[in-house]
Amino acid sequence: MSYRIFYWLTFLIPTIIIGGFEFIRHDFLLPYMSMEVGNVYITLLTLLLSFLFATWMFHTLKQMNARIIEEQARRAVYEERERLARELHDGIAQSLFFLNVKLKQGHLDDARVAVSAIDNHVRQAIFNLRSLPEEGSLDQRLEKWLAQWSALSGIDVASELHVKDGFFTPTAEVQLFGIIQEAFANIRKHSQAKHSWIHLTTDEATGWVLAVEDDGIGIFNSSPDTKKYGLSMMRERARQLNASLDIQLRPAGGTIIRLSSHSGGKI
């Protein structure tokens, strides 16, 4: 059932009930029912039917919204899988080509570097794929993912997460998680950092703010591919979250990636 049907039913049903009852009362029931009794009956009848209609309508709307949210979350997960597949293809394909060239040239040291890069790409992709389905609140899943990322990358992570339960929809959580994964993947691959930080806060009135920092060489000194691919993915996710993305150099060295919502309230 569409929202248009609900729109018409909302004002047609009370009109039909009250108008129909008044028509029957005046034409057929006046000799048997006083005006006072009729007014009581129409009030009780309208109340009962309005309650039944509202209960049915909101139950149906709740089911429709649940299906929409589930579909949006499923689509977001599919998009995340597709992104990981592209990243795997691009990273491994380039490394395999480099490996093949170096093996033909007999440069074994360079070939070992390529093998190591392929291994890192595969580990990171598997790690990201495993992190999405876990249960628990967003901050709990992030804490666990960050601990695993730190163990995998050898880069220290300090986290400050203040996320209210239910603040983000499932779709928004997937997009936000993807931004964080992309930011930390860039730190691991390009920053040469030893320490990293993440701050995520939510507020019913002002919205939410995410900041990811590192003490590396700075994103403007990293490879052009990082700027072209990784940042474009984060900007697209930020757009879907109705948020702005800002990139700055840390005064003490490194990079700050900051996202903030354009409006307050939940998303």
Side-chain angles (χ1 to χ4, degrees):
M1 187 174 293
S2 66
Y3 288 106
R4 185 178 181 83
I5 295 177
F6 282 120
Y7 171 80
W8 286 102
L9 289 178
T10 300
F11 69 86
L12 282 179
I13 286 181
T15 303
I16 292 172
I17 292 173
I18 297 174
F21 182 83
E22 290 296 327
F23 174 79
I24 294 173
R25 181 173 68 164
H26 284 85
D27 282 13
F28 303 103
L29 300 179
L30 276 180
Y32 314 101
M33 182 185 301
S34 66
M35 292 294 294
E36 290 77 10
V37 173
N39 290 337
V40 172
Y41 282 161
I42 188 60
T43 301
L44 293 176
L45 180 62
T46 303
L47 179 64
L48 175 62
L49 293 179
S50 297
F51 171 77
L52 293 175
F53 172 72
T55 301
W56 168 79
M57 183 179 69
F58 282 103
H59 176 72
T60 305
L61 287 173
K62 184 177 180 180
Q63 290 181 324
M64 291 172 62
N65 288 335
R67 287 195 295 269
I68 292 172
I69 291 173
E70 182 181 358
E71 180 62 28
Q72 289 175 338
R74 187 182 298 112
R75 187 184 302 115
V77 171
Y78 289 156
E79 291 173 356
E80 175 66 11
R81 295 295 192 270
E82 183 179 353
R83 184 193 71 83
L84 287 171
R86 287 199 303 268
E87 183 177 348
L88 260 178
H89 175 270
D90 293 342
I92 292 180
Q94 294 173 7
S95 298
L96 285 174
F97 175 78
F98 180 77
L99 174 62
N100 184 50
V101 171
K102 293 305 178 181
L103 286 175
K104 287 181 178 179
Q105 294 175 347
H107 299 166
L108 297 183
D109 290 338
D110 291 337
R112 292 190 186 96
V113 172
V115 170
S116 177
I118 294 171
D119 179 65
N120 286 334
H121 277 298
V122 173
R123 288 177 182 272
Q124 183 68 44
I126 294 173
F127 176 47
N128 288 346
L129 284 169
R130 285 178 175 174
S131 65
L132 290 176
E134 295 180 3
E135 298 180 354
S137 62
L138 178 61
D139 52 353
Q140 290 173 339
R141 287 183 285 127
L142 281 173
E143 289 283 7
K144 185 173 182 179
W145 186 88
L146 291 167
Q148 294 173 341
W149 178 88
S150 180
L152 177 69
S153 65
I155 301 173
D156 178 64
V157 181
S159 61
E160 185 178 349
L161 308 174
H162 303 285
V163 183
K164 294 184 179 180
D165 290 339
F167 186 89
F168 296 104
T169 65
T171 302
E173 284 193 7
V174 172
Q175 298 291 357
L176 190 62
F177 211 122
I179 289 174
I180 293 171
Q181 286 181 329
E182 187 66 46
F184 278 91
N186 286 337
I187 291 174
R188 179 185 63 82
K189 290 186 290 187
H190 306 289
S191 71
Q192 302 177 28
K194 294 182 179 179
H195 301 88
S196 59
W197 299 264
I198 177 172
H199 310 269
L200 176 60
T201 58
T202 59
D203 185 270
E204 296 285 352
T206 60
W208 58 274
V209 176
L210 168 68
V212 177
E213 306 180 34
D214 67 77
D215 61 354
I217 61 175
I219 195 168
F220 301 109
N221 295 320
S222 60
S223 66
D225 291 339
T226 304
K227 304 173 189 177
K228 180 179 179 181
Y229 182 76
L231 291 180
S232 64
M233 293 297 299
M234 284 190 281
R235 286 195 175 95
E236 173 60 25
R237 291 183 183 277
R239 185 189 64 79
Q240 295 182 27
L241 291 171
N242 192 29
S244 59
L245 185 148
D246 184 43
I247 302 170
Q248 306 170 4
L249 291 177
R250 290 180 72 244
T255 304
I256 303 175
I257 296 177
R258 187 185 307 274
L259 285 93
S260 56
S261 58
H262 291 156
S263 58
K266 298 181 180 180
I267 59 172

